[in-house]
């Protein structure tokens, strides 16, 4: 599951705005803003999945190990 912090960090690595990510993930901007909010708003799992897929298609690897999370950009796949 992608977290709000991972989404914001991955966007920063790729140089994407929220609008760019929403377009690439084919989700509404409102849904993306809910996902990236730290206020614990409910987000459909399908929205999280579409965002994750958009990042992975652009070379972002989401790291999850227990309570530790992060992101990594694989060189050569950046699609800004």
């Amino acid at each position: 599951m992608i977290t709000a912090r991972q989404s914001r960090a991955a966007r920063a690595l790729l140089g994407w705005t929220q609008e760019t990510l929403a377009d690439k993930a084919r989700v509404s901007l409102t849904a993306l803003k809910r996902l990236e909010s730290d206020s614990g708003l409910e987000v459909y799992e399908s929205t999280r999945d579409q965002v994750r897929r958009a990042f992975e298609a652009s070379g972002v690897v989401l790291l999850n190990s227990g309570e530790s999370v992060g992101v990594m950009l694989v060189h050569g796949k950046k699609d800004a």
Side-chain angles (χ1 to χ4, degrees):
M1 176 172 82
I2 186 170
T3 67
R5 284 183 172 180
Q6 282 176 309
S7 183
R8 292 191 306 262
R11 276 194 310 103
L13 282 173
L14 293 168
W16 289 358
T17 63
Q18 285 184 321
E19 291 81 4
T20 301
L21 175 55
D23 183 56
K24 290 184 180 286
R26 297 181 177 252
V27 299
S28 72
L29 183 56
T30 301
L32 179 63
K33 286 182 177 187
R34 290 176 67 93
L35 186 150
E36 290 193 348
S37 170
D38 280 329
S39 61
L41 298 172
E42 290 294 320
V43 179
Y44 288 117
E45 194 59 37
S46 60
T47 299
R48 291 184 188 278
D49 189 52
Q50 287 172 257
V51 169
R52 178 188 54 79
R53 288 180 190 199
F55 283 138
E56 289 175 350
S58 295
V60 171
V61 177
L62 300 172
L63 308 168
N64 291 298
S65 175
E67 292 186 24
S68 299
V69 297
V71 295
M72 178 175 65
L73 179 61
V74 178
H75 291 288
K77 287 200 166 190
K78 186 174 177 184
D79 180 21

